[in-house]
């Protein structure tokens, strides 16, 4: 039972990514949510059937990505729903807040954890009060702003850590994962680029053409 549950949890990242990408690509051809949903399922099913060596493409993807954090899972689920329904999630203040927190968490974690910095903040996830306090502050702010999905996702992640629901014994792994970090960074890069474009290239305003009273005469004033 435990092995099956772990296998299902490890497969969620790969399944949601494939589904979301397929549904988003289908959106270029159809506005129908059922057709987008079907396209997402079809791609997931195809990845299970197509083999690459001893394993299917889906199995290779699972081994490369592995299990998401619970906040990462919720983020991918939201993107999957958005790709299916066509709703723009970037208009949601809570989505922007959640992706910003994931992006900042990854920026704080991954450069040191991968050896680009001398200090490794990953170790503070094993014990101590620094990381739990930071997460508690984020949860408190989310509750104050009414971002209940974000607060729930973080609380479930903490509960998973306390219950030792995964193989990791580090709190970081339960609140952020590489896929969620990439999505968070990509979201904010796109938002910043869009903001800069609107500032640098403002919409052109054309003055209305006044009707002329005749050749060689001045325009009629109103």
């Amino acid at each position: 039972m435990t092995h099956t549950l772990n296998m299902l949890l490890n497969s969620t990242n790969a399944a949601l990514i494939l589904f979301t990408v397929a549904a988003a690509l289908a959106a270029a051809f159809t506005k129908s949510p059922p057709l987008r949903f079907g396209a997402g399922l079809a791609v997931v099913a195809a990845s299970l059937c197509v083999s690459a060596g001893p394993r299917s493409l889906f199995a290779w993807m699972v081994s490369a990505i592995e299990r998401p954090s619970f906040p990462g899972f919720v983020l991918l689920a939201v993107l999957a729903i958005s790709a299916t329904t066509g709703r723009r999630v970037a208009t949601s203040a809570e989505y922007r807040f959640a992706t910003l927190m994931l992006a900042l968490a990854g920026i704080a974690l991954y450069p040191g954890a991968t050896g680009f910095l001398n200090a490794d903040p990953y170790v503070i996830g094993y014990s101590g009060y620094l990381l739990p306090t930071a997460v508690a502050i984020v949860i408190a702010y989310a509750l104050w702003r009414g971002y209940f999905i974000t607060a729930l996702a973080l609380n479930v992640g903490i509960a998973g850590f306390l219950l030792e629901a995964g193989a990791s014994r580090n709190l970081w792994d339960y609140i952020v994962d590489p896929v969620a970090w990439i999505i968070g960074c990509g979201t904010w890069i796109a938002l910043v680029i869009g903001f800069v474009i609107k500032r640098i290239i403002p919409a052109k305003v054309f003055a209305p053409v006044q009707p002329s009273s005749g050749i060689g005469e001045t325009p009629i004033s109103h």
Side-chain angles (χ1 to χ4, degrees):
M1 180 66 181
T2 303
H3 174 73
T4 302
L5 179 61
N6 285 332
M7 184 179 67
L8 290 174
L9 290 174
N10 290 342
S11 301
T12 54
N13 243 3
L16 283 172
I17 290 171
L18 289 171
F19 179 90
T20 303
V21 171
L25 291 175
F29 304 96
T30 177
K31 294 182 179 180
S32 170
L35 290 178
R36 297 182 188 183
F37 184 80
L41 289 182
V43 169
V44 174
S47 70
L48 288 166
C49 299
V50 177
S51 297
R55 296 189 290 179
S56 67
L57 290 176
F58 185 82
W60 282 110
M61 190 168 181
V62 170
S63 64
I65 301 174
E66 297 185 346
R67 183 183 303 189
S69 62
F70 192 76
F73 167 77
V74 172
L75 174 60
L76 279 171
V78 168
L79 289 177
I81 294 171
S82 173
T84 303
T85 61
R87 182 178 178 182
R88 297 181 61 186
V89 291
T91 59
S92 166
E94 180 170 6
Y95 176 82
R96 294 194 298 271
F97 171 76
T99 51
L100 179 61
M101 291 301 100
L102 288 170
L104 293 177
I107 290 172
L109 172 63
Y110 293 122
T114 53
F116 286 97
L117 298 175
N118 291 329
D120 185 4
Y122 187 72
V123 297
I124 68 174
Y126 286 112
S127 60
Y129 298 99
L130 182 59
L131 184 57
T133 300
V135 176
I137 292 173
V138 173
I139 292 174
Y141 179 80
L143 290 172
W144 178 63
R145 292 297 303 269
Y147 300 155
F148 299 119
I149 296 177
T150 301
L152 175 64
L154 289 171
N155 276 305
V156 171
I158 293 172
F161 168 73
L162 295 175
L163 296 173
E164 299 183 354
S168 175
R169 296 297 177 264
N170 193 300
L171 179 57
W172 276 115
D173 295 322
Y174 293 85
I175 60 174
V176 65
D177 61 83
V179 173
W181 176 56
I182 291 171
I183 294 173
C185 290
T187 295
W188 275 91
I189 289 172
L191 289 172
V192 169
I193 290 174
F195 176 79
V196 171
I197 289 175
K198 288 182 180 179
R199 289 289 184 178
I200 295 178
I201 311 174
K204 294 182 180 180
V205 180
F206 295 94
V209 178
Q210 295 288 350
S212 176
S213 57
I215 299 176
E217 298 181 9
T218 58
I220 301 173
S221 59
H222 296 280

